[in-house]
Amino acid sequence: LEVDTSTRLLLLMLAATLSRPALATRGLCARAASSLIASIDQGTSSSRVILYDAVTLRPVASHQVELQSATSNPQAGWSQMDAKRIVGTVTDSAAAALAAAGASASDVVGVGITNQRESTVVWDKRTGEPLYDCILWHDARTATTVSALADELGGQDALRATCGLPLSTYFSGVKLRWLLEAVPAVKEGFESGTALVGTVDSWLAWNLTGGAGGRATRHVSDVTNASRTMLMDLSTCGWDGGLVRALGVGAAEGALPTIVSCAEEIGRVDGGPLHGDAAHGEDWRPAGLSSHLQAVNRRRSRG
């Protein structure tokens, strides 16, 4: 049975939500009339937030903001996006969806993310400012780098046994290599320990959980996004030093996100329209930012 992405995303979120002790003891059904699940669908051409009823799984409201105007193509084969616009369109979509539903953050029991994959962002953790545009998944500027790596390492499949992927412009590791070599601010940031790097899920999670100056900001990536970087060992689900060195991105090793599973809460939304309110009771966590929805990105990453 083929299930569409939004339905799969919603079922995963509901399963994890119902398994949480806080909801089991305080009762999801007691809040049925005002319990919503927020799905952040961050794609290449737009960002969208969909609100679902946490009991019936029916969509309640949604809002979508285009991102094509935030994308530029400086040269043939290059494609990059204003990373701050990515966050801004998610925030705007969440605010508008909540308004359409006549709801607030206190009505939201969980937030999930599905995102365009492989696209890569480097930012300054002190200020939250991107050090370069987000390089998109289909960008081909690294073709020469990929060819050189294939010659150096012994073919296109030289790293496949460890990371499961061929050498390709598609994946984040070679985009990171280009950023290190071509953007002085990126290299300086990694060398000074002030820069962070991640795919779009990491960028969103970092900003949503507080960003620069946040009390509990999380720098994380779920395992399915991490698996698309060419830097993760599939057998351990951890960053692999050999892969990092092979791709020539050792300077950024300490700036990589913590890899988390696809079925756990990864933090609290801090600020913005989905801001969590701890006053709802002991261990009740409205608008907990959960990573368990990110696994559905296999099919939903381009739109």
Side-chain angles (χ1 to χ4, degrees), residues 17-18 20-32 35 109 277-286:
T17 300
L18 289 174
R20 288 167 53 188
L23 291 178
T25 57
R26 304 196 73 82
L28 176 60
C29 291
R31 289 177 51 89
S35 292
V109 297
D277 182 1
H280 282 273
E282 184 180 358
D283 293 330
W284 178 266
R285 298 186 179 186

Side-chain angles (χ1 to χ4, degrees), residues 6-187:
S6 294
T7 301
R8 293 172 60 205
L9 183 150
L10 186 57
L11 290 172
L12 285 167
M13 171 64 90
L14 183 64
T17 300
L18 289 174
S19 71
R20 288 167 53 188
L23 291 178
T25 57
R26 304 196 73 82
L28 176 60
C29 291
R31 289 177 51 89
S34 60
S35 292
L36 300 171
I37 294 171
S39 164
I40 295 171
D41 181 358
Q42 203 299 298
T44 313
S45 60
S46 69
S47 295
R48 178 171 56 162
V49 171
I50 310 168
L51 299 176
Y52 295 92
D53 186 296
V55 176
T56 67
L57 309 186
R58 294 193 177 108
V60 174
S62 68
H63 191 79
Q64 187 171 14
V65 180
E66 66 84 24
L67 266 171
Q68 291 173 322
S69 61
T71 303
S72 60
N73 308 97
Q75 297 185 33
W78 293 30
S79 188
Q80 57 199 62
M81 181 178 288
D82 182 342
K84 293 185 76 173
R85 286 280 299 280
I86 293 175
V87 177
T89 54
V90 167
T91 300
D92 290 347
S93 294
L98 286 168
S104 67
S106 61
D107 299 312
V108 178
V109 297
V111 181
I113 299 172
T114 181
N115 59 282
Q116 55 170 306
R117 312 222 299 176
E118 298 97 15
S119 300
T120 305
V121 188
V122 178
W123 67 97
D124 189 316
K125 65 184 179 183
R126 301 166 301 178
T127 65
E129 290 295 319
L131 299 178
Y132 191 78
D133 277 352
C134 174
I135 299 181
L136 299 183
W137 55 274
H138 56 275
D139 181 281
R141 75 186 67 195
T142 58
T144 301
T145 300
V146 168
S147 180
L149 283 169
D151 291 341
E152 175 187 338
L153 299 174
Q156 188 178 19
D157 292 325
L159 305 178
R160 190 189 287 270
T162 305
C163 69
L165 301 171
L167 288 166
S168 169
T169 61
Y170 204 64
F171 305 115
S172 308
V174 291
K175 301 181 195 301
L176 178 54
R177 167 77 174 261
W178 183 90
L179 285 163
L180 270 164
E181 293 179 340
V183 185
V186 168
K187 182 180 179 182

Side-chain angles (χ1 to χ4, degrees), residues 178-204:
W178 183 90
L179 285 163
L180 270 164
E181 293 179 340
V183 185
V186 168
K187 182 180 179 182
E188 292 165 8
F190 288 137
E191 290 176 346
S192 66
T194 59
L196 296 175
V197 62
T199 43
V200 170
D201 66 317
S202 302
W203 173 236
L204 287 176

